[in-house]
């Protein structure tokens, strides 16, 4: 179906009358209807500039002969939602965004779409919608925030969260904390490190659904407005050539995305979102391949929180295409596949120069010979757990210690801030998974508190919840099966020894099989934390984190 269903022939006279009610002329109505999905709102810093991006897209569409029409998508700011009930509503919005965009696009018979997202669940939600609808679609994000400046050093939101832990443990003064508060986030845009929003905007570029610079051009640059105009013009070419999302997002494209995920050191949340997007494309992305890809993909970038470089630095160094070109020197990318540029990846990256080998390491001088993310398995996580290996202190790549067990984030925070977590401990936070949370909250507050108290090189944290892209340290999330369905993480007791070996991709609870079976037999399901509303429905329908937390 296309817009002829609402604008052509006598039968569409009623529909055309309503289009006229919008102020459209006969000439406009005869042009293809191009939906522009705007994520603009006034509560998310990454979205406060999107009205400017949308206006630029409208200009580009009109310049190329289309009729641009804007409709909205919601977005949650994970940073504002962090550490309270609001975080239960972050991941779950991914499906609301996909469902509502599908509804709007099909109800109004748009010919093509330009998606304008920026933040954590907004980007994958719209990618899921694009795959589901499979009409010509292009993405242009709102762009990343500039890095902050504190005491002459670049900084970002992850440093802000860690500063709270430092203040609570007496390591910095109230005045120093206030300086972070006022300077860590200096502009609009998605937070300035390789956190989830920027990870997904960069991977959108890798997948071929966004033009060059989609992931890295800062939000406040005029170049971002120019990019939006080009996206608006390009959608008309995609429509003319009938190039659709599933033509672009092939199985090879997802393998490329996993490969670049490892090279860039993206957020662990990509291990939830890539399978969910692939699922909408009819592709089952088995994360067992992640470790295989990681084993021969070097990690070339250490952006915050893993290092001291930021999205603006990556942009100046040549952006995502420059990283792709370095990785392609090793023959690790499929480059003969089509992208939203109308050209192949090989054509897109040809001649792109790495302008700063300190920001983008060369293939023969990587930060590590293996990728930035690892999937761990063992009797504690039979279906897997995920860690951002590139953000783990070297001394914590292997760790064995006693469990300190908490059944929610709040209890863990009380213990950390109360000084009850000591060197060597393994903090276990459970019943925070997709079903148990419900909503699979991010554990940025506990990990930041651990780092801020100076325990980042001695304490690990594991959870059936997930982590912000701003998390660093030995933080292992998505532990599956989750506690709410009786997964082994529900059976851990205080004092049990947990053994983590990230290089070997293993995580083990050091008890006998007999003891594990005994505890399993004694385990009883918990009453749901929430029994009404959207979260209750979500808990009933959502799959395991190991499967991307998709809805059945």
């Amino acid at each position: 179906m296309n817009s002829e269903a609402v604008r052509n022939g006598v039968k569409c006279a009623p529909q055309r009358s309503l289009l006229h009610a919008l102020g459209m002329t006969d000439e406009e109505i005869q042009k293809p209807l191009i939906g522009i999905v705007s994520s603009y709102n006034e509560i998310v810093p990454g979205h406060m500039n999107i009205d400017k991006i949308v206006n630029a897209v409208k200009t580009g569409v009109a310049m190329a002969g289309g009729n641009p029409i804007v409709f909205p998508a919601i977005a949650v700011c994970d940073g504002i939602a962090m550490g309270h009930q609001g975080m239960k509503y972050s991941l779950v919005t991914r499906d609301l965004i996909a469902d509502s965009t599908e509804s709007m696009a099909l109800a109004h018979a748009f010919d093509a779409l330009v998606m304008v997202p920026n933040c954590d669940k907004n980007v994958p939600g719209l990618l899921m919608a694009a795959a589901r609808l499979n009409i010509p679609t292009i993405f242009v994000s709102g762009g990343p925030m500039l890095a902050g400046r504190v005491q002459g050093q670049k900084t970002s939101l992850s440093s802000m969260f860690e500063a709270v832990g430092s203040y609570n443990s007496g390591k910095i003064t109230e005045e120093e904390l206030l300086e972070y508060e006022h300077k860590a986030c200096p502009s609009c845009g998605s937070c300035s490190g390789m956190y989830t929003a920027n990870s997904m905007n960069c991977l959108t570029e890798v997948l071929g659904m966004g033009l060059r610079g989609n992931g890295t051009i800062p939000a406040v640059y005029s170049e971002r407005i120019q990019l939006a105009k080009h996206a608006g013009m390009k959608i008309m070419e995609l429509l003319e050539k009938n190039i659709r999302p599933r033509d672009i997002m092939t199985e090879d494209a997802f393998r490329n995305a996993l490969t670049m995920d490892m090279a860039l050191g993206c957020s662990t949340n990509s291990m939830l979102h890539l399978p969910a997007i692939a699922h909408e494309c009819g592709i089952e992305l088995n994360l067992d391949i992640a470790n295989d890809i990681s084993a021969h993909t070097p990690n070339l970038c250490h952006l915050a929180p893993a290092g001291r470089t930021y999205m603006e630095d990556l942009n100046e160094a040549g952006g995502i295409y420059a990283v792709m070109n370095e990785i392609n020197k090793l023959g690790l990318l499929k480059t003969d596949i089509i992208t939203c540029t109308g050209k192949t990846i090989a054509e897109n990256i040809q001649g792109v120069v790495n302008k700063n080998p300190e920001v983008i390491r060369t293939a023969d001088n990587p930060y590590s010979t293996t990728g930035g993310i690892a999937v761990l398995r063992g009797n504690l996580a039979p279906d897997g757990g995920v860690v951002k290996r590139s953000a783990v202190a070297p001394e914590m790549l292997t760790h064995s210690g006693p469990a300190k067990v908490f059944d929610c984030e709040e209890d863990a925070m009380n213990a950390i801030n109360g000084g009850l977590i000591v060197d060597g401990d393994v903090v276990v936070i459970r019943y925070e998974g997709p079903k148990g949370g419900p909503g699979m909250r991010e554990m940025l507050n506990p990990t930041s508190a651990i780092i801020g108290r100076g325990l980042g090189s001695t304490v690990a944290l594991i959870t059936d919840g997930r982590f912000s892209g701003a998390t660093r340290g030995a933080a292992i999330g998505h532990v599956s099966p989750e506690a709410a369905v009786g997964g082994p993480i529900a059976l851990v007791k205080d004092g049990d020894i947990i053994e983590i070996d990230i290089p070997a991709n293993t995580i083990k609870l050091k008890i006998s099989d007999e003891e594990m079976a005994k505890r399993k037999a004694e385990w009883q399901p918990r009453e749901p934390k929430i029994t009404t509303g959207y979260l209750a429905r979500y808990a009933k329908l959502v799959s395991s984190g190991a499967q991307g937390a998709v809805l059945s």
Side-chain angles (χ1 to χ4, degrees):
M1 184 178 74
N2 59 33
S3 65
E4 291 184 2
V6 299
R7 61 186 178 87
N8 282 3
V10 172
K11 68 179 178 59
C12 291
Q15 286 91 340
R16 288 198 301 275
S17 73
L18 293 168
L19 296 177
H20 286 305
L22 293 169
M24 289 188 194
T25 65
D26 290 329
E27 292 82 0
E28 286 176 293
I29 291 172
Q30 289 310 305
K31 295 178 179 180
L33 300 185
I34 309 300
I36 303 173
V37 187
S38 171
S39 304
Y40 169 76
N41 63 49
E42 294 182 339
I43 188 61
V44 183
H47 292 233
M48 63 180 284
N49 66 315
I50 279 178
D51 56 338
K52 312 290 191 303
I53 305 298
V54 166
N55 284 336
V57 172
K58 290 176 69 176
T59 297
V61 170
M63 287 169 62
N67 184 4
I69 303 171
V70 180
F71 65 88
I74 64 169
V76 164
C77 178
D78 279 24
I80 295 174
M82 195 70 65
H84 59 91
Q85 184 83 353
M87 181 45 69
K88 294 179 184 291
Y89 286 90
S90 170
L91 179 61
V92 305
T93 63
R94 188 183 69 180
D95 296 276
L96 282 175
I97 291 161
D99 291 350
S100 60
T101 302
E102 172 195 356
S103 301
M104 287 293 289
L106 292 181
H108 301 99
F110 286 106
D111 294 295
L113 297 172
V114 182
M115 306 291 201
V116 190
N118 211 26
C119 287
D120 295 35
K121 312 311 168 299
N122 187 246
V123 181
L126 289 179
L127 282 165
M128 289 165 66
R132 192 184 299 174
L133 290 162
N134 202 35
I135 61 176
T137 303
I138 195 168
F139 278 65
V140 55
S141 77
M145 183 183 291
L146 294 177
R149 300 290 195 282
V150 174
Q151 298 176 3
Q153 299 293 320
K154 286 185 178 182
T155 191
S156 60
L157 184 66
S158 54
S159 300
M160 178 71 253
F161 274 91
E162 291 169 12
V164 174
S166 296
Y167 172 75
N168 286 335
S169 60
K171 295 181 181 295
I172 64 172
T173 66
E174 183 177 359
E175 289 75 18
E176 290 172 311
L177 179 65
L178 283 172
E179 185 176 10
Y180 274 100
E181 180 180 333
H182 287 284
K183 295 183 177 180
C185 300
S187 75
C188 63
S190 47
C191 296
S192 57
M194 188 57 81
Y195 311 146
T196 304
N198 290 326
S199 294
M200 294 311 301
N201 282 324
C202 290
L203 294 178
T204 297
E205 205 173 321
V206 176
L207 283 169
M209 291 296 292
L211 299 176
R212 182 181 181 183
N214 178 71
T216 60
I217 298 171
V220 296
Y221 283 14
S222 298
E223 189 181 356
R224 174 66 55 180
I225 301 296
Q226 295 166 349
L227 179 73
K229 291 176 182 176
H230 284 133
M233 290 185 277
K234 184 61 68 171
I235 192 60
M236 299 308 296
E237 179 185 328
L238 295 176
L239 178 60
E240 180 183 359
K241 294 180 178 178
N242 196 29
I243 298 175
R244 304 183 181 210
R246 291 186 206 171
D247 300 325
I248 296 169
M249 292 193 287
T250 63
E251 188 168 353
D252 282 341
F254 283 103
R255 289 188 69 93
N256 283 347
L258 280 173
T259 298
M260 289 299 296
D261 195 329
M262 301 302 171
L264 289 164
C266 290
S267 163
T268 52
N269 281 313
S270 62
M271 296 292 107
L272 284 174
H273 300 323
L274 288 175
I277 300 160
H279 179 76
E280 296 289 351
C281 291
I283 298 167
E284 295 307 312
L285 193 61
N286 185 344
L287 287 185
D288 284 338
I289 68 173
N291 286 337
D292 178 58
I293 289 173
S294 180
H296 55 261
T297 304
N299 178 225
L300 304 185
C301 298
H302 262 195
L303 280 78
R308 302 295 298 177
T309 53
Y310 299 85
M311 296 305 297
E312 63 195 60
D313 302 312
L314 179 59
N315 186 63
E316 294 300 319
I320 300 307
Y321 280 14
V323 186
M324 292 178 76
N325 205 26
E326 288 290 348
I327 289 297
N328 192 48
K329 292 175 183 177
L330 301 174
L332 299 179
L333 297 179
K334 292 282 188 177
T335 61
D336 59 347
I337 53 180
I338 197 70
T339 70
C340 69
T341 66
K343 301 177 181 178
T344 65
I345 289 174
E347 292 173 304
N348 289 342
I349 67 175
Q350 184 176 7
V352 176
V353 176
N354 178 357
K355 299 177 182 178
N356 190 341
E358 293 302 312
V359 175
I360 304 171
R361 291 282 187 92
T362 57
D364 58 0
N365 182 37
Y367 282 102
S368 66
T369 57
T370 52
I373 289 179
V375 176
L376 311 186
R377 294 186 186 274
N379 68 343
L380 185 53
D383 295 340
V386 179
V387 63
K388 189 170 184 173
R389 172 165 42 193
S390 61
V392 177
E395 57 269 32
M396 288 297 291
L397 290 171
T398 59
H399 180 76
S400 181
K404 295 282 182 68
V405 183
F406 306 94
D407 287 351
C408 66
E409 177 189 3
E410 289 81 359
D411 289 349
M413 281 298 297
N414 289 336
I416 296 167
N417 288 332
L420 301 180
I421 303 303
V422 299
D423 290 344
D425 283 345
V426 178
V427 177
V428 177
I429 305 178
R430 61 192 181 189
Y431 294 98
E432 291 284 8
K435 288 183 178 294
M440 205 177 185
R441 286 196 288 182
E442 290 182 342
M443 301 293 142
L444 179 57
N445 276 350
T447 55
S448 297
I450 287 169
I451 296 290
R453 297 182 74 88
L455 298 171
S457 61
T458 60
V459 170
L461 189 151
I462 69 171
T463 181
D464 54 6
R466 59 194 179 92
F467 295 110
S468 164
T471 286
R472 63 187 175 109
I476 299 150
H478 311 190
V479 169
S480 301
E482 62 175 291
V485 299
I489 193 171
L491 312 178
V492 182
K493 295 182 178 180
D494 281 336
D496 286 346
I497 300 300
I498 294 175
E499 187 176 272
I500 300 164
D501 190 334
I502 295 173
N505 302 314
T506 60
I507 181 168
K508 298 175 183 176
L509 178 62
K510 302 295 284 184
I511 63 174
S512 67
D513 292 344
E514 291 78 14
E515 177 63 17
M516 183 79 86
K518 177 185 174 185
R519 294 184 188 182
K520 177 66 175 176
E522 294 171 349
W523 178 81
Q524 294 293 322
R526 304 285 182 91
E527 288 295 319
K529 295 177 184 176
I530 295 175
T531 58
T532 60
Y534 178 53
L535 285 178
R537 296 197 300 275
Y538 182 88
K540 290 177 182 178
L541 297 173
V542 70
S543 73
S544 163
Q547 298 170 309
V550 297
L551 298 186
S552 58

